[in-house]
Amino acid sequence: MIRIKELCKSYRTRRGPRQILKDITCTVHKGEKLGILGCNGAGKSTLIRIIGGIENPTSGSVTRTMSVSWPLAFQGGLAGGLSGLDNLRFICRIYQVDFVAARASVEEFSELGNYLQEPVKSYSAGMRARLAFAISMTVDFDCYLIDEVSAVGDRRFNEKFKNRLLDKTRDRSIIMVSHFYGVLREYCNRAAVLDAGVLRVYDDIKDAIHNYEQILYGKTITF
Amino acid sequence: MPETTQQTTFSRAFQIQMRVVSALLRRELIALSGKKGIGFLLMLVEPLIFVSAICVFFYLTRRTVGNVPVVAFAMSGYCVMWGCRFQMMKMMNVVAANRSLLYHRYVKIFDLMLGRSILQICSTSISFLMFAPIIYIGLVDFPVKPYLVVFSWLAVLWYGWSLGLITSSIYGLVKMGEKICIVIMVLHIWITGAFMMVEWLPPDYRGYYLLFPMVHATEMMRDGLFGNRVTAHYSVLYMVCANMVLTYLGLVLVRKLSQRGAMDDSD
Amino acid sequence: MNDIAKITKSDVNVPLPGGKRKKNRSRVSPSFLQKMIAYARGHKLFMVMVVVPSALSVLYFGLIESDIYVSECRFVVRQPERKNLSSLGSLLQNIGISSVREEAFTVREYVLSRDALKIIDENLNLRKAFGSSKVDIINRFDPLGIDDSFEALYKYFLGQVTVDVDLTSSIATLTAKAYAPNDAFNINEGLLFMSEGLINKLNDRARKDMLSIALKDVEDAEAEAKNRAMALSIYQDKEILFDPAQQSTMQLQQVDRLQTELIAVRGQIAQYREFAAASSQIRALEKRASELRKEINAEMAKVAGGSESMSQKLIEYERLKLDREFSEQKLAAALTSLEQARAEVQRQQLYLERIVMPNTPDSAIYPRRFLNILAAFGMLFIVYGVVKILLIGVLEHHE
């Protein structure tokens, strides 16, 4: 279970503090798969990072009773200077995963082949995403935090990824940020809309999408 | 920040931290060495080459400082200077370089710094051990009080570590951080006492010079190396207290940095 | 969980404990003591690392630590005049009397030496002064009665006595710390007295060193001059010579006279041959002439040629005379240099001049109790802060 309680986050900007998340309270139970919708700059990534525990809330708390993955995003989590394998080795050490088994699984899943020996910074965005997911699959998390990345892979990989993830997370949780309604529908069983720092959770994804559309086109967006 | 309900015990948390630091250490080693381990060798050799070049230069000029052979004098000074400056130099951008690793919850900014500084401490200490062959070939006499040499070296490393924490946090916290760090580092050429002894100063000014904690360490090292051949001015208590204050300052800054979140400017 | 967050936050920014926690939970008006105990339980680390040591430091610095009395004196080592001054030094110190920094350092080395300590200890029994049970146990010499060796005392002594030499004025400041005013004064006075003794000893030594060479030179020269004079007079005595030059002149005059006579005799012989060839006078005259010739030859041989001649004697005589003159000059030179040495010694005489007499302190200026307590507080807070932050840093690695 992840319980978010009265969570606020504000960043300092030149014109004083700007509050991004306002008093968010929400709970994700084990097995629940939550999709988060929000326009650009609404603070989705920030929220994901706070849930992942790599950023501190200004106030409020996040309580985790299940293990949570690091936020799988375009960037982050992998060191550019190291090869894919070295990155895997590092992550295996931190999360205490057997490297040999993990390597086999990553090689099989990512289909990167010899590229695994190359520095990650030479990878394309898709390759990087594949590696990130492959590595994250080797570690057993109760909850996966996914930030947009599913959009990057090609269709075949997305299929593969979806199968693996859904297979793996049958009784686990996902918190996912995406602009693609299809993806949300595929993965999630609940959805939330983050707008103006406030998170509204809908039990039906349709409602969430509907609401989101309204927000998107109903008013001008101010940053 | 603490958000779990599963109260992690201290020993468990410590285990995790050690795991992370050791993983970071290996990572740093791999990053340095590329494939064949040359990088680490280079890292060892870097200060070593520097110190030996200095030695050769001074050996060829064959002078003595007071009644102390210049090689020993220069070596002690440069070792102290590099002992703290290398750490500052290498720790400065450690957060920026490893920002992506902070995506893993276990990896904290302090751990990044710890890993880097452990590596630095090893490499500078190895170059400090250059003293051994030099003593062996007789360019420098065996230290009069070896324990003082060791203690002062530890003090130097401690100081360098604290300063490394401070500079790397400033680097991340302040916009002008890099410039401030460079100023601090350049200053450290002069305020380490590498090139002179306090005794050479008029007594009225010694007090001011001795405000810099590194001067105490250098003096202590020279006392250990040369004993009665030099007049050393130092206070262990002051050095320890100053280092403590600097460590505290560094840790507070590191906390500040990690609370603010090092990823603020990553996207 | 909120609690933890609060504590950590407050502890990070200021290493002072938050303390809000227990207040909220206070039940039916707990006594002050109960509150305190509750607080202490909630902040064990803070109690152990700050409160308890602070209390101990207050106890020690405020109450237990013995008074330290300091006796101070100032002196300068002077010399009437000095050579080899650097240009700057001569600019500053070209007045007749100058202070001598090097000698001040000599005094410092002596005061801080085992020799000085030995004498002081013999006279003042430092072990009793520093090791008495009135002195607090941390400052006391040999508090556990394990090691009261001289070396240990020396180490302790170095902590009690300082000598600072000011480089510009060359004034040395000698301070002695002790746990009784009289002890401080006695140590200081004793050391100063011994320093004066040292300076005097240095003077004596310098005088002896410098004069002994000159004196020996004079003695040697004197002996040589005497020998030479003696040798000359013995020679004169032996050869019955007074003034060889005059003596040989006299002999040459004798020869001259004899030759004149010989010429006269020869003239007479010639006259007799001419006018009375058969005269018996001729034979007598011829005899006389040959006598004269013999005499002349003999006299001539005396003056020149032959080992017994006057000229031979003159060579030896002149040599001896020259020797004597040299040795006399040598003696004169040696005497002059002796005089110079005497003057030099006088000029290089060192004086230890007391500028400020040792005082008997009437109150203890050390320890600085308040400052010590303050410093201890500060350091304890800092150390606590460091430990706390490190601990928080570790605890952040939760699962």
Side-chain angles (χ1 to χ4, degrees):
Chain A
M1 185 178 73
I2 297 172
R3 186 186 293 134
I4 304 166
K5 203 175 153 196
E6 291 157 11
L7 181 116
C8 295
K9 176 76 184 178
S10 52
Y11 282 122
R12 256 175 292 170
T13 60
R14 277 182 204 169
R15 279 175 290 166
R18 197 169 89 83
Q19 197 163 30
I20 292 184
L21 303 175
K22 285 176 197 154
D23 202 17
I24 290 173
T25 302
C26 133
T27 308
V28 178
H29 294 283
K30 198 162 183 180
E32 229 172 33
K33 297 172 175 67
L34 179 71
I36 299 174
L37 286 163
C39 16
N40 292 326
K44 303 180 300 279
S45 297
T46 306
L47 179 61
I48 286 273
R49 284 208 297 266
I50 292 174
I51 294 171
I54 57 169
E55 208 163 314
N56 300 319
T58 312
S59 67
S61 66
V62 178
T63 313
R64 297 184 212 91
T65 55
M66 52 189 179
S67 64
V68 178
S69 80
W70 70 92
L72 303 169
F74 291 129
Q75 71 236 53
L78 301 174
L82 294 189
S83 70
L85 276 180
D86 287 332
N87 267 301
L88 175 65
R89 207 172 269 134
F90 176 70
I91 287 167
C92 283
R93 279 207 189 96
I94 301 186
Y95 294 99
Q96 285 187 304
V97 176
D98 178 43
F99 173 68
V100 181
R103 179 178 178 169
S105 131
V106 166
E107 273 172 350
E108 183 267 320
F109 185 68
S110 68
E111 297 174 8
L112 283 167
N114 286 334
Y115 275 109
L116 278 177
Q117 316 271 3
E118 298 299 317
V120 169
K121 62 186 167 202
S122 65
Y123 288 16
S124 72
M127 287 159 75
R128 209 177 290 190
R130 264 148 71 175
L131 180 67
F133 280 109
I135 292 179
S136 71
M137 288 297 116
T138 63
V139 189
D140 275 324
F141 291 114
D142 292 335
C143 176
Y144 288 86
L145 305 176
I146 300 163
D147 190 356
E148 291 287 17
V149 200
S150 54
V152 177
D154 57 25
R155 201 187 184 125
R156 203 177 72 84
F157 179 75
N158 278 353
E159 285 289 307
K160 195 172 171 183
F161 171 63
K162 196 183 95 184
N163 291 338
R164 176 67 75 93
L165 189 65
L166 288 179
D167 181 44
K168 203 167 183 165
T169 61
R170 197 155 293 149
D171 54 343
R172 300 179 196 204
S173 304
I174 295 175
I175 298 177
M176 175 183 266
V177 167
S178 185
H179 293 292
F180 295 92
Y181 308 141
V183 174
L184 284 186
R185 282 202 197 91
E186 264 179 287
Y187 287 97
C188 304
N189 47 25
R190 286 171 82 199
V193 177
L194 184 64
D195 175 49
V198 181
L199 189 76
R200 260 181 235 105
V201 185
Y202 300 88
D203 282 334
D204 192 345
I205 298 176
K206 270 182 213 150
D207 291 347
I209 293 171
H210 178 72
N211 205 290
Y212 177 58
E213 294 267 308
Q214 268 188 343
I215 291 166
L216 265 186
Y217 300 109
K219 64 179 177 191
T220 48
I221 304 154
T222 47
F223 284 90
Chain B
M1 290 309 286
E3 298 116 352
T4 86
T5 39
Q6 300 166 324
Q7 185 67 55
T8 314
T9 60
F10 181 79
S11 64
R12 181 78 192 114
F14 188 70
Q15 266 177 12
I16 296 174
Q17 185 173 26
M18 287 304 103
R19 205 164 76 206
V20 170
V21 171
S22 78
L24 279 168
L25 255 176
R26 284 169 208 224
R27 200 202 79 85
E28 292 269 326
L29 272 177
I30 295 168
L32 277 171
S33 58
K35 292 238 158 55
K36 302 278 186 291
I38 300 163
F40 185 64
L41 217 69
L42 263 178
M43 187 172 161
L44 293 184
V45 168
E46 190 180 353
L48 214 106
I49 288 175
F50 193 84
V51 171
S52 10
I54 295 288
C55 281
V56 169
F57 172 73
F58 280 110
Y59 180 63
L60 291 179
T61 56
R62 274 176 192 280
R63 281 180 295 144
T64 54
V65 178
N67 45 6
V68 164
V70 75
V71 176
F73 188 81
M75 267 212 60
S76 60
Y78 277 95
C79 278
V80 168
M81 196 174 85
W82 288 106
C84 60
R85 280 198 49 186
F86 255 113
Q87 278 197 71
M88 274 187 257
M89 248 163 73
K90 303 280 168 169
M91 270 168 86
M92 223 163 68
N93 63 350
V94 69
V95 179
N98 291 311
R99 183 166 285 135
S100 60
L101 295 183
L102 292 172
Y103 266 70
H104 304 285
R105 195 168 56 249
Y106 293 153
V107 181
K108 302 292 174 190
I109 286 179
F110 183 67
D111 300 344
L112 295 179
M113 294 177 179
L114 205 61
R116 182 64 70 88
S117 61
I118 288 173
L119 211 63
Q120 278 310 314
I121 284 171
C122 291
S123 83
T124 42
S125 293
I126 287 172
S127 78
F128 182 67
L129 288 180
M130 261 295 278
F131 260 123
I134 285 185
I135 288 170
Y136 184 73
I137 59 173
L139 271 180
V140 179
D141 294 337
F142 192 77
V144 181
K145 301 165 195 162
Y147 55 94
L148 277 188
V149 177
V150 173
F151 288 156
S152 62
W153 181 244
L154 291 178
V156 167
L157 292 177
W158 181 11
Y159 177 86
W161 184 68
S162 309
L163 258 266
L165 293 182
I166 292 174
T167 48
S168 52
S169 320
I170 288 177
Y171 189 88
L173 279 170
V174 191
K175 272 221 178 76
M176 299 273 287
E178 192 170 1
K179 272 160 199 145
I180 296 174
C181 291
I182 288 171
V183 169
I184 292 177
M185 292 217 320
V186 170
L187 263 179
H188 270 81
I189 299 176
W190 300 108
I191 63 174
T192 47
F195 298 108
M196 55 183 305
M197 297 212 55
V198 176
E199 178 71 12
W200 304 349
L201 285 172
D204 293 351
Y205 301 105
R206 280 180 201 159
Y208 299 113
Y209 197 46
L210 280 169
L211 284 178
F212 302 114
M214 260 313 78
V215 177
H216 291 263
T218 318
E219 293 279 312
M220 191 171 160
M221 182 168 293
R222 296 202 168 127
D223 186 23
L225 281 173
F226 311 125
N228 285 333
R229 278 186 288 168
V230 293
T231 313
H233 301 261
Y234 62 92
S235 150
V236 178
L237 189 68
Y238 177 81
M239 193 171 69
V240 169
C241 288
N243 275 357
M244 210 49 165
V245 171
L246 285 172
T247 307
Y248 177 67
L249 210 71
L251 288 173
V252 167
L253 284 172
V254 171
R255 277 219 68 77
K256 203 137 215 161
L257 183 66
S258 50
Q259 265 171 356
R260 206 175 96 174
M263 272 170 300
D264 282 10
D265 44 2
S266 71
D267 52 314
Chain C
M1 278 320 98
N2 275 335
D3 277 352
I4 292 177
K6 265 179 204 155
I7 298 164
T8 44
K9 235 169 227 167
S10 64
D11 277 343
V12 166
N13 297 332
V14 195
L16 275 165
K20 273 180 193 166
R21 197 152 64 132
K22 298 291 169 187
K23 245 183 226 167
N24 299 339
R25 290 185 192 168
S26 61
R27 284 181 207 97
V28 197
S29 61
S31 74
F32 180 70
L33 191 70
Q34 277 174 320
K35 272 189 200 165
M36 289 284 283
I37 291 170
Y39 180 85
R41 282 213 182 113
H43 303 83
K44 275 191 195 116
L45 186 71
F46 186 72
M47 290 314 272
V48 171
M49 290 199 61
V50 181
V51 178
V52 175
S54 294
L56 289 177
S57 78
V58 170
L59 197 68
Y60 175 71
F61 290 125
L63 299 173
I64 297 175
E65 192 175 20
S66 307
D67 282 340
I68 296 172
Y69 295 88
V70 178
S71 175
E72 190 183 272
C73 73
R74 282 160 200 262
F75 61 85
V76 68
V77 181
R78 287 189 190 282
Q79 197 172 55
E81 197 181 292
R82 263 166 58 80
K83 288 175 181 174
N84 304 331
L85 284 175
S86 66
S87 56
L88 185 69
S90 60
L91 264 178
L92 291 171
Q93 311 183 319
N94 55 1
I95 317 147
I97 287 180
S98 60
S99 51
V100 198
R101 199 190 305 148
E102 290 87 340
E103 302 305 331
F105 281 112
T106 312
V107 171
R108 182 175 85 168
E109 289 304 309
Y110 177 70
V111 165
L112 300 178
S113 73
R114 290 180 176 77
D115 289 355
L117 172 63
K118 203 169 203 167
I119 298 168
I120 284 279
D121 188 34
E122 274 162 16
N123 290 304
L124 297 177
N125 192 3
L126 291 184
R127 284 188 176 83
K128 208 180 139 204
F130 291 145
S132 92
S133 54
K134 281 176 195 155
V135 182
D136 73 271
I137 195 137
I138 292 177
N139 275 326
R140 195 185 301 166
F141 168 66
D142 190 25
L144 305 174
I146 302 166
D147 180 15
D148 67 340
S149 64
F150 184 73
E151 276 305 310
L153 184 66
Y154 178 60
K155 227 174 173 180
Y156 190 87
F157 175 74
L158 289 183
Q160 302 295 312
V161 175
T162 56
V163 185
D164 291 318
V165 181
D166 187 275
L167 281 189
T168 43
S169 63
S170 301
I171 294 171
T173 310
L174 170 62
T175 54
K177 287 193 283 183
Y179 303 102
N182 278 334
D183 285 339
F185 172 77
N186 286 338
I187 293 169
N188 199 329
E189 174 65 32
L191 287 172
L192 189 61
F193 183 73
M194 278 153 58
S195 306
E196 280 171 340
L198 173 79
I199 291 291
N200 288 341
K201 220 166 27 181
L202 286 177
N203 281 335
D204 282 354
R205 182 68 176 278
R207 184 186 297 134
K208 257 182 219 156
D209 279 1
M210 288 181 81
L211 288 187
S212 66
I213 295 166
L215 272 173
K216 195 172 178 323
D217 277 356
V218 169
E219 270 168 27
D220 288 353
E222 217 178 290
E224 202 188 337
K226 272 183 195 156
N227 280 342
R228 297 298 176 212
M230 190 72 95
L232 187 63
S233 48
I234 287 170
Y235 185 75
Q236 281 173 323
D237 222 35
K238 193 179 93 190
E239 301 294 338
I240 321 164
L241 277 172
F242 179 68
D243 187 343
Q246 214 172 337
Q247 267 171 302
S248 53
T249 321
M250 274 163 61
Q251 256 155 356
L252 283 174
Q253 277 170 352
Q254 180 93 347
V255 172
D256 198 40
R257 201 170 41 78
L258 287 173
Q259 253 164 354
T260 320
E261 202 172 332
L262 179 64
I263 289 163
V265 171
R266 276 199 187 138
Q268 278 178 323
I269 292 173
Q271 275 178 350
Y272 277 114
R273 290 236 170 97
E274 193 89 12
F275 303 106
S279 169
S280 59
Q281 279 291 335
I282 291 175
R283 287 192 69 165
L285 281 172
E286 273 177 343
K287 179 95 174 128
R288 172 123 179 87
S290 78
E291 280 301 313
L292 276 173
R293 213 169 291 127
K294 254 188 218 160
E295 190 73 11
I296 286 167
N297 282 345
E299 283 300 319
M300 280 303 282
K302 264 185 200 169
V303 177
S307 60
E308 282 297 298
S309 73
M310 201 63 200
S311 64
Q312 208 63 27
K313 278 179 189 166
L314 201 61
I315 291 169
E316 183 64 14
Y317 173 80
E318 287 296 339
R319 196 178 64 77
L320 287 171
K321 209 171 129 191
L322 216 58
D323 277 353
R324 196 192 63 189
E325 274 163 20
F326 273 146
S327 62
E328 274 165 0
Q329 274 171 19
K330 235 180 180 172
L331 179 60
L335 282 170
T336 319
S337 63
L338 178 64
E339 274 320 297
Q340 277 171 351
R342 284 216 165 98
E344 186 73 5
V345 165
Q346 207 63 36
R347 259 190 304 147
Q348 294 205 359
Q349 186 93 17
L350 297 169
Y351 302 96
L352 190 148
E353 213 163 303
R354 297 182 177 201
I355 301 172
V356 180
M357 292 291 179
N359 62 315
T360 312
D362 61 349
S363 78
I365 56 169
Y366 290 110
R368 301 263 167 84
R369 295 178 195 279
F370 183 67
L371 283 180
N372 278 347
I373 292 171
L374 215 64
F377 272 14
M379 270 333 281
L380 287 168
F381 271 115
I382 293 283
V383 173
Y384 169 74
V386 167
V387 171
K388 186 80 193 174
I389 294 178
L390 285 175
L391 288 181
I392 291 170
V394 174
L395 276 174
E396 272 186 348
H397 296 81
H398 42 69
E399 292 180 89

